[in-house]
Amino acid sequence: MSRRAPVWIGLALAALAMRCYKLGSQSLWSDEGVTVHMVARPLGELFSQVGSDVHPLLYYSLLHFWARLSLSEFWLRLPSALASWATILVVVALIRRVSGQRVGLWTLALLSFSQFHILYAQEARAHAMLGLVASLSWALLWLWKEEHRGLPVRLAWLGLALAMPHIHYLGFLVLGSQNLLMLLHPRYSRGRIPWLGWQLAALGAQLPWMLWVLPRQVGFARAAGYVSSPMSLESWFRSLYDWLFSHDFQRPGYDLLSFAPGAWGLCLVALALALLGTPRSPAAAWLWCWWLAPVAQTLALNALGIDLSGSKYFLYATVPLFVLLASGLDRLARWRSPWGASLAGVLMLGWLAANLTSWRNYHFHPAFGNQNWRLAGQFLRGNAAPDDLIIVQPLMMNAVLLYYLGPFPNFVGVNDPAQLQPPLQPQRYGRIWVCSVPSYQQPPVSNVLPGWVRQGQWPTQKHFPAQNLVIELFTPPGAP
């Protein structure tokens, strides 16, 4: 056994432990509520929902069978945690072959404690699974093109190429990045014709489904508001910041505490840029394309009005960023100057400290931070009467509240308060409970509801006002 074997094993186990730590302790948030809503359906009904959700159905279908054992928060999130851990093992195994054990060890250390990766390893969504399949796809492509493996490797790559877009539509960006590398890098000029043949096979298998689902997805995305203006420099700085440290952005401005980790991140990026090695290295070309090609494609889509600007959409593409950082740290540690190893160690410790302090800001999404739908569901289950009306805003929060509340006879979800006009009549109900998210960018129901139920005659009470989740109770005269 190698002298470093205990270090390898210890880091790998630490990575798994970090991803499973308090896996079920947090309340589900809105997107995870959608996951529960989808996977709890019968399989035939689930397939009928193609185009009614912004994500494809392979992840939901796999989780449908997994969820037959349990619908607990821990069990629903466990596949993401295992997928994130498996991604680390795949990437480190590849980097050990390509760049050596030292770079592999640095990569293992960085990915094990990356708060950004841990964050989405603990979310019941498809991002971690896409990260695993994308990493496997790049690893198989390396074995195919650089180690000249045979037909089984190529068929395995083709299988993953067919599966990725059904896990998440961003799988198309992974395939686009690989095509950019194969078609533009002169190293692979002799194999372009066979490569195009494999791409035609993948495209031909996907084309009927793409032509059917694309119009539905575009319509759904526009109806749901998944459009944006072109990204600003600040947005990209925040994305880079988030990839490296996943710190909270709820505080206004960049105070010293929030900017310091970003400074560490910029130092590490500059270090990787300066010390990675010659750009002619095949591994360097692969890593840069793996990381930056999806960013370039996303900028192009964003300019067309398709919003893919969230940091989480780049989870699958941040793995090579950490490999680049590992390469820079390793080169610095092997520098002839005695200060090289010390400086590499200081940078690593600073990065690690910044990531560990991110735990105090632990949440799933800045726009929905501090929500405790579990507490809200328990509160309403204990206080709402069967003849009461519960209104949820925005509509996408329906599923997560019902997960904790259970079946309720009078339950309405809305985005726009105008949807509360008749046939809904408040006189038919005992009391009216309004659950809303203050950060949601729509006129709040509570602004319209008092006039709708004769303002001044229905006293109002608020619960959980300190959270980004407010429950307001409108009580008619004479009600308890």
Side-chain angles (χ1 to χ4, degrees):
M1 180 179 290
S2 168
R3 291 181 302 172
R4 293 179 179 171
V7 179
W8 287 96
I9 296 172
L11 284 174
L13 292 177
L16 179 61
M18 295 282 280
R19 281 150 181 79
C20 293
Y21 176 68
K22 291 188 175 181
L23 190 58
S25 64
Q26 271 200 307
S27 164
L28 299 179
W29 76 290
S30 58
D31 282 15
E32 291 182 301
V34 174
T35 298
V36 175
H37 177 67
M38 296 292 282
V39 304
R41 298 180 174 197
L43 199 58
E45 187 178 337
L46 177 61
F47 288 149
S48 70
Q49 297 301 307
V50 174
S52 67
D53 186 75
V54 74
H55 297 300
L57 296 183
L58 182 55
Y59 170 76
Y60 292 140
S61 300
L62 296 174
L63 201 63
H64 169 84
F65 294 102
W66 178 268
R68 289 185 175 182
L69 295 178
S70 174
L71 279 172
S72 69
E73 295 99 328
F74 177 90
W75 190 250
L76 289 170
R77 291 166 177 162
L78 185 58
S80 294
L82 296 176
S84 176
W85 186 57
T87 300
I88 296 175
L89 301 184
V90 169
V91 171
V92 170
L94 175 64
I95 297 306
R96 286 183 65 182
R97 297 173 69 96
V98 174
S99 302
Q101 291 204 14
R102 291 173 60 99
V103 178
L105 192 59
W106 283 106
T107 302
L108 177 58
L110 288 168
L111 286 174
S112 295
F113 297 98
S114 165
Q115 188 61 211
F116 181 69
H117 280 258
I118 293 171
L119 190 70
Y120 293 105
Q122 297 195 329
E123 182 175 302
R125 297 297 281 166
H127 305 294
M129 184 176 290
L130 176 64
L132 171 60
V133 177
S135 298
L136 280 169
S137 177
W138 279 101
L140 289 170
L141 190 59
W142 177 272
L143 295 177
W144 173 5
K145 292 296 182 179
E146 292 294 333
E147 299 188 14
H148 308 292
R149 297 296 182 89
L151 186 61
V153 167
R154 302 178 188 188
L155 290 175
W157 176 88
L158 180 61
L160 294 181
L162 295 175
M164 269 189 292
H166 294 276
I167 295 173
H168 198 293
Y169 291 118
L170 292 178
F172 285 117
L173 299 190
V174 180
L175 300 176
S177 304
Q178 294 176 349
N179 274 279
L180 285 173
L181 179 65
M182 293 295 108
L183 297 176
L184 299 181
H185 199 294
R187 181 180 179 87
Y188 308 108
S189 58
R190 292 184 178 180
R192 284 173 184 163
I193 299 301
W195 170 259
L196 288 174
W198 284 94
Q199 301 314 297
L200 288 174
L203 180 62
Q206 299 276 18
L207 191 59
W209 170 76
M210 288 168 57
L211 292 175
W212 185 82
V213 79
L214 184 60
R216 291 165 174 80
Q217 279 298 306
V218 171
F220 175 84
R222 294 192 182 280
Y226 289 100
V227 293
S228 69
S229 57
M231 293 194 68
S232 64
L233 181 62
E234 180 188 13
S235 300
W236 280 109
F237 175 78
R238 289 191 174 205
S239 293
L240 177 60
Y241 189 112
D242 209 15
W243 298 338
L244 289 166
F245 301 104
S246 198
H247 264 254
D248 191 7
F249 278 114
Q250 295 301 300
R251 294 180 299 241
Y254 297 108
D255 58 30
L256 180 62
L257 180 62
S258 63
F259 182 78
W264 280 111
L266 293 176
C267 287
L268 285 171
V269 171
L271 179 69
L273 288 170
L275 301 176
L276 175 64
T278 63
R280 296 180 181 178
S281 164
W286 282 61
L287 290 170
W288 288 114
C289 192
W290 186 351
W291 177 32
L292 294 180
V295 174
Q297 294 173 83
T298 301
L299 278 172
L301 291 171
N302 188 258
L304 296 174
I306 301 174
D307 180 12
L308 295 174
S309 57
S311 297
K312 64 182 180 180
Y313 296 132
F314 295 96
L315 180 68
Y316 70 95
T318 55
V319 168
L321 168 63
F322 284 96
V323 178
L324 292 168
L325 298 179
S327 301
L329 288 170
D330 180 63
R331 185 172 289 268
L332 181 61
R334 291 189 295 169
W335 198 17
R336 293 181 181 180
S337 169
W339 293 100
S342 300
L343 182 56
V346 169
L347 288 172
M348 181 66 188
L349 289 174
W351 178 88
L352 181 61
N355 270 265
L356 291 178
T357 57
S358 296
W359 282 66
R360 67 185 178 86
N361 299 317
Y362 182 56
H363 57 70
F364 289 119
H365 192 291
F368 302 104
N370 304 321
Q371 293 177 7
N372 192 333
W373 289 100
R374 179 192 295 145
L375 182 62
Q378 293 170 351
F379 177 83
L380 289 170
R381 192 165 60 244
N383 292 277
D387 63 339
D388 290 351
L389 170 65
I390 296 176
I391 301 173
V392 183
Q393 184 192 28
L395 178 63
M396 65 186 299
M397 305 298 178
N398 267 11
V400 67
L401 182 58
L402 285 173
Y403 173 81
Y404 291 111
L405 175 64
F408 196 83
N410 306 311
F411 190 93
V412 178
V414 297
N415 285 327
D416 192 323
Q419 298 170 344
L420 290 173
Q421 301 302 321
L424 282 178
Q425 298 177 3
Q427 293 77 12
R428 295 174 50 192
Y429 308 106
R431 298 171 297 177
I432 299 178
W433 304 81
V434 178
C435 304
S436 61
V437 178
S439 65
Y440 185 66
Q441 301 301 312
Q442 285 282 357
V445 170
S446 56
N447 285 359
V448 177
L449 193 60
W452 184 51
V453 294
R454 300 191 304 274
Q455 187 172 5
Q457 299 182 32
W458 290 52
T460 305
Q461 300 177 25
K462 287 192 176 183
H463 304 272
F464 315 130
Q467 297 193 34
N468 189 24
L469 168 61
V470 175
I471 298 179
E472 295 174 271
L473 170 61
F474 294 84
T475 308

